[in-house]
Amino acid sequence: MTTPFLQLIDAEARGFADAELVLVLSECDSSWWDVRAVDARVLSELRRHCPEAEDL
């Protein structure tokens, strides 16, 4: 769901819409991500692409 060359390790990426924080991706390694989103459609799309994802 990102560009193929993007790799984050122990990082946090934030997405904004009109200066409002709407998405936070926290990553510890290539197998563990925490996704927080204002819009439930973002999480639905993530679940569609990654059906093994779990709610915390």
Side-chain angles (χ1 to χ4, degrees), residues 3 11 35 47:
T3 56
V35 179
R47 286 184 188 100

Side-chain angles (χ1 to χ4, degrees), residues 3-17:
T3 56
F5 60 84
L6 180 65
Q7 180 180 9
L8 300 174
I9 298 172
D10 194 22
E12 182 174 276
R14 296 176 181 200
F16 293 85

Side-chain angles (χ1 to χ4, degrees), residues 8-48:
L8 300 174
I9 298 172
D10 194 22
E12 182 174 276
R14 296 176 181 200
F16 293 85
D18 298 324
E20 180 184 349
L21 179 63
V22 295
L23 178 71
V24 178
L25 304 172
S26 302
E27 196 252 350
C28 289
D29 60 36
S30 61
S31 65
W32 186 89
W33 285 80
D34 178 50
V35 179
R36 292 170 276 162
V38 171
D39 190 333
R41 292 176 295 179
V42 172
L43 298 176
S44 294
E45 186 68 11
L46 177 66
R47 286 184 188 100
R48 190 172 73 80

